[in-house]
Amino acid sequence: MKFKQSEKLYNKGLENLVGAVNSPVRAFASVGGNPLFIDKAKGSKIKDVDGNRYIDMVLSYGPMILGHRHKKVEKAISKALKNGYSFGASTNAEIKLAKIVCDAFPGMDKVRFVNSGTEAVLSAIRLARAHTGNDKIIKFSGCYHGHMDAMLVAAGSGLATLSLPGSKGVPSLAVENTLIAEYNNLESVKKHIEENSDIAAVILEPVTGNMGVVQPSDAFIKGLRELTKEHGVLLICDEVMTGFRSKFGGAQELIGIEADITCLGKVIGGGFPVGAYGASNEIMENVAPLGGMYQAGTLSGNPIAMAAGISTLTELKRQNPYEKFEKIAGKIETILLEGAKKYNVDLTVNKFGSMINPFFAAEEVKNFTDAQKCDTDKFAVFFWEMIKNGVFLPPSQFESWFLCSALSDKDVENFEKAVDAAMKMVAGK
Ligand code: KE4
């Protein structure tokens, strides 16, 4: 495989783009080497600027759940384009997507569309503070909720990969109301609630994707919901990544809880910039223009993005691919574990719906401390060998892989061959 054109664009990109990327994880910092530049994609495949073709398990970090350029999404976008791109006024498309989203989440009466997951989270946190009159927020180490100041205290995902605890430029005042607890450790939450009377909310990824995939234990998640209810603390489920990935709706339903506020993104925009936050009427009526909590956006509810979201979710509901996702994730888990065993590589695999990833560690990964014990050097060797064998993975041990409904049996066969070559390389054979 040659990467000459990617290298050329990388060096050209360094001139006017920071690190030649518009999001840090794309810089391949934790796997070494230069980032790939992508030319085009279709279905389950993606092609880089050197013409190398890959099975895509990044899928834009989640949005492309139907695979790339689904014909029904493409038709809907083309139709919307003929009516205009953006009006700064309401359209019927926003009402349509709002209904699809609210109908998929019990307890969600109203939703507000924004332009990214970060914007959804920052708005949800402001909303929780407005509704409760309290300021403190509890988050979990290893969970990533976008790059708002108050959430960059011990984030997973990019920051974990770059091993930057918090971030430069975030003033200490901005994080003084953020408390950190440990995922799957209810006591760590109880402690904060006992010591602080002014907590507005707890925010979590109901199943994490940003320290890799980690599921909550039943005792933890049910206990968390009871504890927060008991103390009048709102529960914010950040489903930006998990939304519509394991069922047509939220992971919260599958793990048996109902959030007070839900954040969404990624899949609901079908590849276009859409985020959202939603809750009951009682909570959402705090939001301007009905209430005193201000939040706004020039391109919120953009008609092209709404068309992409409506057609993506409509097709997703028609396909109902969740059983297929479970089967493929099961096959991928077996392929990874058998490949690791064959070459005597320490590996554990976590999966949930259409989210899955291996950890180069011998022990189970149940929280961020466990995840940090992974051998990221081995991951880097694995990553590049998978690239050379035609599989495009997120360039970080701390990222979930994603499945799309366009994945074929042939793709899974080719994935298996790639894993054998990659595990052999990791084992230094
Ligand atoms: P965006 O602002 O990137 O749309 O969403 C932020 C966000 C919020 N909440 C969760 C649970 C998320 O996973 C994300 C963003 N996810 C990362 C992947 N780990 C996006 C990829 C990137 O940062 O380039």
Side-chain angles (χ1 to χ4, degrees):
M1 256 186 192
K2 296 216 177 332
F3 304 114
K4 285 216 167 317
Q5 292 310 315
S6 273
E7 276 161 36
K8 224 165 109 187
L9 287 178
Y10 172 68
N11 289 312
K12 199 170 156 196
L14 286 173
E15 196 182 330
N16 301 114
L17 288 169
V18 178
V21 296
N22 282 299
S23 199
V25 71
R26 303 177 195 171
F28 283 30
S30 77
V31 293
N34 295 333
L36 296 183
F37 281 70
I38 299 302
D39 175 33
K40 57 175 77 172
K42 182 90 175 96
S44 62
K45 304 297 184 301
I46 196 160
K47 196 163 80 164
D48 68 19
V49 292
D50 288 279
N52 302 312
R53 279 163 54 86
Y54 309 93
I55 298 165
D56 186 6
M57 299 178 84
V58 179
L59 296 171
S60 181
Y61 289 92
M64 310 319 292
I65 195 166
L66 299 176
H68 294 280
R69 293 191 51 206
H70 191 282
K71 58 181 185 313
K72 290 185 180 172
V73 179
E74 203 138 301
K75 187 161 172 262
I77 295 168
S78 314
K79 187 161 172 264
L81 283 171
K82 292 188 173 54
N83 295 334
Y85 310 155
S86 182
F87 312 118
S90 296
T91 66
N92 185 21
E94 295 160 73
I95 298 171
K96 283 183 180 170
L97 188 56
K99 176 140 184 61
I100 295 171
V101 169
C102 290
D103 285 353
F105 283 82
M108 189 188 289
D109 299 322
K110 284 193 175 59
V111 67
R112 168 62 61 87
F113 291 117
V114 292
N115 298 288
S116 70
T118 294
E119 217 185 332
V121 166
L122 74 84
S123 308
I125 285 175
R126 186 179 305 143
L127 175 57
R129 288 170 166 161
H131 187 71
T132 62
N134 293 332
D135 292 343
K136 287 202 171 53
I137 299 287
I138 297 173
K139 80 172 288 286
F140 294 93
S141 53
C143 284
Y144 175 68
H145 302 290
H147 61 86
M148 72 175 283
D149 279 356
M151 289 292 105
L152 290 182
V153 279
S157 184
L159 282 173
T161 303
L162 299 177
S163 58
L164 289 174
S167 163
K168 286 185 180 166
V170 173
S172 50
L173 269 178
V175 298
E176 66 177 7
N177 285 314
T178 308
L179 306 170
I180 301 172
E182 182 177 65
Y183 204 78
N184 275 323
N185 176 343
L186 192 59
E187 282 312 308
S188 69
V189 183
K190 269 185 189 152
K191 183 172 172 299
H192 284 316
I193 290 183
E194 279 155 11
E195 292 169 2
N196 297 274
S197 57
D198 58 339
I199 297 176
V202 174
I203 184 168
L204 84 163
E205 294 176 61
V207 172
T208 81
N210 288 291
M211 52 177 125
V213 178
V214 174
Q215 285 189 54
S217 72
D218 201 43
F220 167 71
I221 198 68
K222 300 279 177 50
L224 183 66
R225 184 61 285 190
E226 276 160 41
L227 182 68
T228 46
K229 268 208 166 86
E230 193 188 318
H231 291 271
V233 172
L234 297 183
L235 186 61
I236 303 174
C237 269
D238 178 351
E239 298 233 32
V240 167
M241 189 183 274
T242 52
F244 297 95
R245 277 232 150 253
S246 38
K247 76 178 292 289
F248 193 78
Q252 58 191 276
E253 254 190 288
L254 293 174
I255 58 177
I257 56 160
E258 186 175 302
D260 296 299
I261 302 174
T262 296
C263 301
L264 293 167
K266 296 182 193 273
V267 168
I268 68 167
F272 283 71
V274 180
Y277 60 102
S280 64
N281 281 323
E282 188 204 351
I283 292 177
M284 290 303 278
E285 279 158 16
N286 284 288
V287 181
L290 299 184
M293 176 230 143
Y294 191 71
Q295 177 270 312
T298 303
L299 294 175
S300 296
N302 171 273
I304 314 304
M306 295 292 107
I310 293 164
S311 51
T312 295
L313 293 186
T314 304
E315 177 59 12
L316 188 60
K317 189 163 193 173
R318 186 196 68 79
Q319 286 186 10
N320 189 23
Y322 299 103
E323 263 180 48
K324 173 180 175 178
F325 286 150
E326 290 293 337
K327 278 202 197 90
I328 296 176
K331 277 187 203 162
I332 286 176
E333 180 184 39
T334 306
I335 289 167
L336 287 165
L337 291 174
E338 285 180 356
K341 194 160 166 243
K342 180 177 170 185
Y343 294 104
N344 199 19
V345 172
D346 285 340
L347 196 89
T348 179
V349 177
N350 286 353
K351 63 184 171 64
F352 189 82
S354 59
M355 292 167 55
I356 182 169
N357 77 280
F359 292 94
F360 284 83
E363 309 300 322
E364 219 192 325
V365 175
K366 297 185 299 304
N367 57 42
F368 192 43
T369 308
D370 297 346
Q372 286 184 302
K373 291 175 194 154
C374 289
D375 186 330
T376 51
D377 293 338
K378 281 192 176 145
F379 177 81
V381 172
F382 178 81
F383 171 83
W384 278 110
E385 205 54 30
M386 292 295 277
I387 286 282
K388 288 169 191 156
N389 284 273
V391 180
F392 185 50
L393 301 173
S396 160
Q397 166 65 87
F398 303 104
E399 292 286 355
S400 172
W401 304 355
F402 299 97
L403 306 180
C404 70
S405 56
L407 268 178
S408 65
D409 293 344
K410 185 76 185 144
D411 289 335
V412 177
E413 270 172 48
N414 290 334
F415 174 83
E416 184 163 18
K417 287 180 198 139
V419 166
D420 189 71
M423 286 299 177
K424 190 173 176 188
M425 187 61 80
V426 167
K429 294 274 188 289

